C-alpha cells in the first residue's frame, strides 16, 4: 500500500499562499506529475509530501496511514532533488549507500544492493569517483541510484532533469518511467515541462498559483482542457485561443488546415521548419494563430492564406473566467454538423 | 616572460620583506655582536647556549600548553556557536555582531577588561568569590592560575573570530544536503558527523593554522597583563624573543630564538600543504 493522498492541504508563508487547499491522489504504482509554471507551488507540494515542510492545514496519507506529523525518514520515501544533493566529499558508492549505512544494514547486503543498483543505473565503472568528476547525466544517475536502493515504495522527484541537455533529458525520462514501472513505485514527479508530463505521466495535476487547475490523465488535459490556462499550457505549440465576443475559441495548431478557399483569412508572419513538420505563425484579424503542417511548407512572411478547422476540434472557453463552456461547445458542434 | 613581469611586483615585495629578513635572521643567529658593533662568527654557539637556557625551554613548554589549552577549545566553541547561530534565523545579525565584538576590540581594551576581571579582591572574579565567602585570589600573580587565566581570555577572543569563518562556510553549504540526509533517515548528529563536519574541513584547517600561528604570536596581552610573570610562568616564545631583543638588547640570541619560531611555523606550513591538503575535500 503506497497510494499518496492529500486532503485539503495548505501551506502559507505570510500572506503568500504557496499551496492553497490542494487535494489529490497518486494511485499505488502510478506516476503522478505535478505540472505548472515556475512559482506555482509544485516544489512546496512535493516537500509537504516528503515531510520537509509542515502543512498549515489538511492531512497527508501514504498507504492509508496519516503521515502529516511524521518526519521525512518516518514516511519511508525516497527523493531526488533538483540539485541532486549529492554529498560532494563521498564517492559515488558511498553516496548511493548512504541511507543503508544510516540504517546500519550489514555490509554484505549493502554491497549486494549496491551492485544491483549500479547495474540498473549504469554506474558500475564509476563507483569510486567523486561527484565532481562526473557529468551532469552521471550525477543524475547517482541521485537516482540513491533514491531506489532503499526500495522505498514512494519516490518523489523535483525537476530531476532540468539541469540536463535536451538529448539526455529525453533519454532519462524514458529511463525513469521504465524504472518506475519495473519497480512498481508510486512516484510524484515535479516538472514545468509539459512534454515531460505528457510523455511520462499516468496522471497530471496542473497547478497555478498554489491551486489545482486541472487533475486528469494526459489525454484528458490534451483533449478536454478544463480552462483556458490548461489549454495554453499543454501542447507544443500550445492551443490557439481566438477571442470571439464573450468567448474564446480554442483550436490546436495540429487541427488547423491551410485551404485554398473558404475558412478564415490569415496573413503569415513567420515559418519555422522543424523537419518532420513546420509551424506557420499567422494572424487572424490581428490575433496570433499557429498552425502545424506536415512536411516542409513553402509559405513566406506576408503571404495571405486561408485557414480552416473542423468544428469538432473547437474548444470554447468563457473569456471572463477562462472556464470551459461545455454545452456551448456541444451546441456549436451540433450546429456545425447540422 | 610576460607572466613573470606581472609577478614581479609581488615577488619583489615578498623577497624584500619576507625572504631577505628570514635569511638575514638565520645569518645573524650564527654571529655575536660586540659592544663596538663588529660581528664575530660563532657557528652554532648561540644554539648551544639556547639549548642550555632554562627560560627558553620554559617558554617553549608554556607555549605548548597554551596552544593545547586554546586551540581545540576555541575551534570547538566556534563551530558550536556557528551551527547554533546558523540554525536560529531570528536575531542572527545581532548574535553575529555579539560574537565578533571581541575581535574588533583593540587588544589594549581587551587586556584591560580582563585585567579588571582578574584583579585581586576588587576584580569581577573575586567579587563573585566573595559572594561565597571565599578569600581573594591573585589570579595573574600566581604561577598556578596565570596560564589558565590567559587561556580563557584568548579562547573568548578567538572563538568569536573563528565562528565568522565557520558561519560563512555553513552558509555556502546547500541546505539540500541536510534535507537529503534527513530523507535518508540520518539524525542531526549523524548528518553533522558525516556531512557537515567533513565539508567544513577546509575551514577547520584554515582556522586551526591561524590558531596555531596566533598562539605563537601572542605578545601584547602579556606585555600589558603579566610581563611573562610570575617567575616566567606566562612567558611564551615570542614574548621571550621580545624581551631578549628589546630588554636585554641581545639581538644575536633573539635571532636564534626567532629561527626556532620560524622552523616551528614552517613545519606547520609543510604539514598543511604536503599532507592535510591531500586528505581534505575542497569544493
Ligand atoms: N521557504 C519559503 N519561504 C517563503 N516563500 C516561499 C518559500 N518556498 C517557496 N516560497 C514561495 O512559494 C511559492 C511556490 O514556490 P515553489 O513551490 O518552490 O514553486 P515551484 O516549485 O512551482 O516553482 C513561490 O512564490 C515561492 O516564492
Ligand atoms: Mg520548484
Amino acid at each position: 500500500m503506497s497510494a499518496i493522498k492529500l486532503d485539503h492541504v495548505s501551506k502559507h508563508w505570510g500572506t503568500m499562499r504557496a499551496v492553497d487547499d490542494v487535494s489529490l491522489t497518486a494511485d499505488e504504482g502510478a506516476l503522478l506529475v505535478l505540472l505548472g509554471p515556475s512559482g506555482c507551488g509544485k516544489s512546496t507540494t512535493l516537500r509537504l509530501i516528503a515531510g520537509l515542510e509542515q502543512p498549515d492545514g489538511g492531512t497527508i496519507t501514504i498507504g492509508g496511514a496519516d503521515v502529516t506529523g511524521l518526519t521525512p525518514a518516518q514516511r519511508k520515501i525516497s527523493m531526488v532533488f533538483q540539485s541532486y544533493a549529492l554529498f560532494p566529499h563521498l564517492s559515488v558508492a558511498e553516496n548511493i549507500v548512504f541511507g543503508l549505512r544510516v540504517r546500519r544494514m550489514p555490509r554484505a547486503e549493502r554491497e549486494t544492493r549496491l551492485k544491483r543498483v549500479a547495474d540498473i543505473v549504469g554506474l558500475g565503472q564509476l563507483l569510486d569517483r567523486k561527484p565532481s568528476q562526473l557529468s551532469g547525466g552521471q550525477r543524475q544517475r547517482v541521485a537516482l541510484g540513491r533514491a531506489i536502493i532503499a526500495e522505498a515504495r514512494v519516490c518523489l522527484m523535483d525537476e530531476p532533469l532540468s539541469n540536463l541537455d535536451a538529448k539526455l533529458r529525453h533519454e532519462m525520462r524514458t529511463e525513469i518511467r521504465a524504472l518506475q514501472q519495473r519497480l512498481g513505485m508510486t512516484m510524484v514527479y515535479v516538472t514545468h515541462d509539459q512534454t515531460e508530463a505528457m510523455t511520462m505521466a499516468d496522471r497530471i495535476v496542473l497547478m497555478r498559483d498554489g491551486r489545482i487547475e486541472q487533475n486528469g490523465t494526459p489525454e484528458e488535459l490534451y483533449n478536454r482542457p478544463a480552462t483556458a490556462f490548461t489549454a495554453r499550457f499543454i501542447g507544443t505549440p500550445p492551443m490557439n485561443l481566438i477571442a470571439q465576443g464573450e468567448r474564446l475559441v480554442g483550436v490546436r495548431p495540429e487541427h488547423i488546415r491551410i485551404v485554398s478557399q473558404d475558412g478564415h483569412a490569415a496573413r503569415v508572419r513567420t515559418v519555422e521548419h522543424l523537419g518532420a513538420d513546420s509551424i506557420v505563425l499567422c494572424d487572424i484579424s490581428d490575433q496570433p494563430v499557429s498552425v502545424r503542417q506536415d512536411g516542409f511548407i513553402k509559405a513566406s512572411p506576408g503571404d495571405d492564406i486561408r485557414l480552416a478547422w473542423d468544428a469538432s476540434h473547437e474548444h470554447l472557453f468563457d473569456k471572463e473566467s477562462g472556464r470551459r463552456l461545455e454545452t456551448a461547445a456541444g451546441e456549436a458542434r451540433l450546429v456545425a454538423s447540422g | 616572460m610576460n607572466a613573470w613581469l606581472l609577478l614581479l611586483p609581488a615577488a619583489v615585495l615578498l623577497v624584500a620583506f619576507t625572504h631577505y629578513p628570514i635569511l638575514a635572521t638565520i645569518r645573524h643567529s650564527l654571529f655575536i655582536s660586540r659592544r663596538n658593533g663588529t660581528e664575530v662568527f660563532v657557528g652554532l654557539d648561540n644554539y648551544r647556549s639556547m639549548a642550555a637556557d632554562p627560560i627558553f625551554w620554559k617558554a617553549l613548554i608554556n607555549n605548548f600548553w597554551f596552544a593545547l589549552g586554546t586551540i581545540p577549545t576555541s575551534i570547538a566553541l566556534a563551530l558550536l556557536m556557528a551551527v547554533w547561530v546558523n540554525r536560529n534565523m531570528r536575531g542572527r545579525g545581532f548574535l553575529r555582531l555579539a560574537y565578533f565584538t571581541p575581535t574588533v576590540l583593540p587588544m589594549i581594551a581587551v587586556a584591560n577588561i580582563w585585567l579588571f576581571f582578574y584583579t585581586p579582591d576588587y576584580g569581577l572574579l573575586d567579587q563573585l568569590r566573595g559572594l561565597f565567602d571565599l578569600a581573594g585570589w591573585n589570579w595573574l600573580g600566581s604561577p598556578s592560575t596565570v596560564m589558565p587565566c590567559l587561556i580563557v581570555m584568548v579562547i573568548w577572543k578567538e572563538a568569536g573570530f573563528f565562528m565568522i569563518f565557520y558561519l560563512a562556510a555553513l552558509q555556502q553549504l546547500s541546505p539540500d544536503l541536510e534535507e537529503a540526509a534527513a530523507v535518508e533517515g540520518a539524525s542531526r548528529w549523524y548528518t553533522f558527523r558525516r556531512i557537515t563536519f567533513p565539508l567544513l574541513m577546509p575551514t577547520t584547517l584554515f582556522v586551526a593554522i591561524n590558531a596555531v600561528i596566533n598562539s605563537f604570536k601572542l605578545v601584547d596581552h602579556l606585555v600589558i597583563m603579566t610581563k611573562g610573570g610570575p617567575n616566567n610562568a606566562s612567558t611564551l616564545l615570542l614574548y621571550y624573543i621580545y624581551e631578549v631583543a628589546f630588554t636585554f638588547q641581545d639581538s644575536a640570541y633573539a635571532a636564534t630564538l626567532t629561527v626556532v619560531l620560524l622552523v616551528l611555523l614552517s613545519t606547520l606550513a609543510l604539514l598543511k600543504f604536503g599532507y592535510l591538503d591531500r586528505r581534505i575535500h575542497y569544493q
Side-chain angles (χ1 to χ4, degrees), chain A residues 10-21 39 56 209-211:
Chain A
S10 296
K11 176 76 192 174
H12 306 165
W13 274 290
T15 57
M16 169 80 210
R17 289 156 174 262
V19 173
D20 193 7
D21 195 30
D56 293 315
D209 298 336
R211 298 181 140 269

Side-chain angles (χ1 to χ4, degrees), chain A residues 11-14 16-19 34-47 53 82 158-159 190-192 207 209-210:
Chain A
K11 176 76 192 174
H12 306 165
W13 274 290
M16 169 80 210
R17 289 156 174 262
V19 173
L34 288 176
L35 176 68
S38 175
C40 71
K42 310 178 295 290
S43 294
T44 309
T45 308
L46 196 76
R47 291 168 60 82
E53 306 282 358
Q82 183 171 2
D158 192 352
E159 312 220 14
V190 165
T191 181
H192 64 265
M207 294 185 68
D209 298 336

Side-chain angles (χ1 to χ4, degrees), chain A residues 177-233:
Chain A
R177 174 60 164 161
L179 201 59
Q180 178 265 331
Q181 287 182 322
R182 176 139 65 103
L183 303 180
M185 293 184 288
T186 307
M187 184 176 283
V188 180
Y189 185 107
V190 165
T191 181
H192 64 265
D193 179 350
Q194 64 91 26
T195 316
E196 250 172 58
M198 293 296 285
T199 51
M200 297 176 74
D202 290 309
R203 179 164 280 277
I204 297 178
V205 172
L206 178 62
M207 294 185 68
R208 176 195 191 185
D209 298 336
R211 298 181 140 269
I212 293 183
E213 187 78 7
Q214 188 167 356
N215 175 346
T217 61
E219 294 80 5
E220 282 167 358
L221 264 74
Y222 179 82
N223 288 331
R224 290 183 61 78
T227 63
F229 178 82
T230 308
R232 275 201 207 94
F233 207 86

Side-chain angles (χ1 to χ4, degrees), chain B residues 27 70 114 192 201 211 220 263 280:
Chain B
R27 182 187 163 277
T70 52
W114 285 84
F192 178 78
M201 259 336 250
D220 24 24
V263 168
I280 288 179

Side-chain angles (χ1 to χ4, degrees), chain A residues 263-291:
Chain A
H264 304 261
R267 168 157 296 172
V268 176
R269 284 196 159 281
T270 54
V271 184
E272 284 176 21
H273 299 293
L274 303 176
D277 44 20
S278 310
I279 311 288
V280 186
L281 190 69
C282 346
D283 280 344
I284 294 184
S285 45
D286 279 342
Q287 298 190 64
V289 172
S290 46
V291 179

Side-chain angles (χ1 to χ4, degrees), chain A residues 47 52 72-73 77-79 81 83 85-90 94 98-99 101-103 146, chain B residues 174 176-187 190-191 194-196 198-199 281 283:
Chain A
R47 291 168 60 82
L52 294 169
I77 50 137
S78 60
M79 185 157 174
F81 292 76
S83 64
L86 301 181
F87 306 121
H89 59 301
L90 299 181
E94 285 293 334
F98 183 85
R101 282 188 62 165
V102 170
R103 273 161 255 146
R146 189 174 65 186
Chain B
S174 156
D176 284 358
L177 296 185
E178 247 179 68
E179 291 182 347
V183 167
E184 297 292 339
S187 65
Y190 189 91
T191 308
R194 276 206 70 206
I195 308 296
T196 317
L199 289 176
H281 175 83
Q283 293 283 7

